[in-house]
Amino acid sequence: METGSGFLAKPSKFPDISSCTAFQFELKTNTEFKGYRFSFGKAKAKGGRFAYGYKTPLIFGEDLPPVGEYGLVEIPFDRFSDKWDDATGNIEVECKEDPTYCPTSKWLSKMETMSFWGEGVEGMVDLEVKSIKAVGCNMEASEISVGQSMIISNSHTIQSNPFYMAALILLAASGCIVCGCCFLLLRCLRSSNTDRKNKKIHYDSIDCATDDELDYEDLP
């Protein structure tokens, strides 16, 4: 379940939460699924492959309320990391272990996207989310939604997602091929028109002899 901006879509806007300390969710799970996670932003850790964004697990039995009941779940920002396994969703390096993987003010101020995940384990996914808030904010915090420009947002999407990068490269290559074919076709047409004009000029320059100009010396 994702909310946010995709490639070539109008960028989504979220409040600036860079002065806050945690997310607060009101939600309930209707199954004992143990693979829920939450992520935001499009940050990409150095050396990462497909994983992007800051992610954290929503631990069943600790973070989540009892099955079938709504409850408040508060997750501090320092629980998030952008160094996670793209196959399982498990965090590889915690934010507390290495601050370079912690959420930055850049992505907290303009998140662009948020996602709830069900991954890494087998089971039935059934999660209901009633609200998402940021808590622990100072007096400078604002509820006014802000967002990136479309160019910057799409740039972040391309940088964070290799599929979009591959699509962009393929699109650029296709454009080059089409332009090359059009250029060659245009040259051929121009060359053909030039040959026709040259032939017409050659025919027009031939002097045709009239009957008065013919020499009839060989006539008897």
Side-chain angles (χ1 to χ4, degrees):
M1 180 170 58
E2 179 179 11
T3 178
S5 54
F7 185 52
L8 295 180
K10 184 178 180 180
S12 297
K13 295 182 179 181
F14 299 97
D16 181 349
I17 60 172
S18 58
S19 65
C20 307
T21 60
F23 280 107
Q24 185 184 83
F25 312 120
E26 185 176 4
L27 50 74
K28 75 172 180 176
T29 175
N30 296 313
T31 62
E32 295 185 358
F33 184 72
K34 299 179 180 179
Y36 289 120
R37 316 187 196 284
F38 176 77
S39 70
F40 70 92
K42 298 178 183 177
K44 188 173 180 63
K46 185 177 181 180
R49 296 178 59 197
F50 303 105
Y52 69 92
Y54 296 100
K55 181 177 282 192
T56 187
L58 302 177
I59 303 173
F60 183 81
E62 296 182 23
D63 299 322
L64 297 177
V67 174
E69 298 180 15
Y70 275 103
L72 296 178
V73 178
E74 189 169 310
I75 307 294
F77 292 156
D78 59 12
R79 278 258 313 260
F80 289 83
S81 171
D82 63 352
K83 185 63 174 177
W84 48 274
D85 190 315
D86 51 21
T88 64
N90 294 330
I91 303 299
E92 295 180 333
V93 182
E94 297 282 351
C95 164
K96 295 178 180 179
E97 297 175 10
D98 189 340
T100 59
Y101 300 119
C102 295
T104 64
S105 58
K106 167 188 174 181
W107 290 108
L108 290 169
S109 62
K110 297 179 180 179
M111 293 185 292
E112 295 193 36
T113 182
M114 295 187 294
S115 304
F116 283 94
W117 303 65
E119 61 180 348
V121 297
E122 294 184 0
M124 179 68 69
V125 176
D126 190 350
L127 184 70
E128 298 182 37
V129 181
K130 185 178 289 186
S131 67
I132 302 174
K133 298 179 181 179
V135 296
C137 311
N138 62 26
M139 298 299 294
E140 298 179 358
S142 172
E143 295 184 0
I144 299 176
S145 297
V146 294
Q148 297 281 13
S149 68
M150 188 167 183
I151 294 177
I152 294 177
S153 178
N154 286 330
S155 174
H156 291 159
T157 303
I158 292 171
Q159 292 173 13
S160 62
N161 195 320
F163 291 107
Y164 287 124
M165 178 67 78
L168 184 64
I169 293 174
L170 181 61
L171 181 63
S174 301
C176 290
I177 293 174
V178 171
C179 290
C181 291
C182 291
F183 176 74
L184 291 176
L185 179 62
L186 184 61
R187 288 198 62 182
C188 290
L189 291 174
R190 286 182 176 178
S191 176
S192 176
N193 289 335
T194 301
D195 291 342
R196 290 178 180 176
K197 289 180 180 179
N198 290 338
K199 287 181 179 180
K200 183 177 181 181
I201 294 173
H202 176 70
Y203 292 149
D204 291 344
S205 63
I206 297 177
D207 293 330
C208 296
T210 63
D211 289 343
D212 296 336
E213 294 174 339
L214 291 177
D215 187 1
Y216 295 97
E217 292 181 356
D218 295 335
L219 293 175

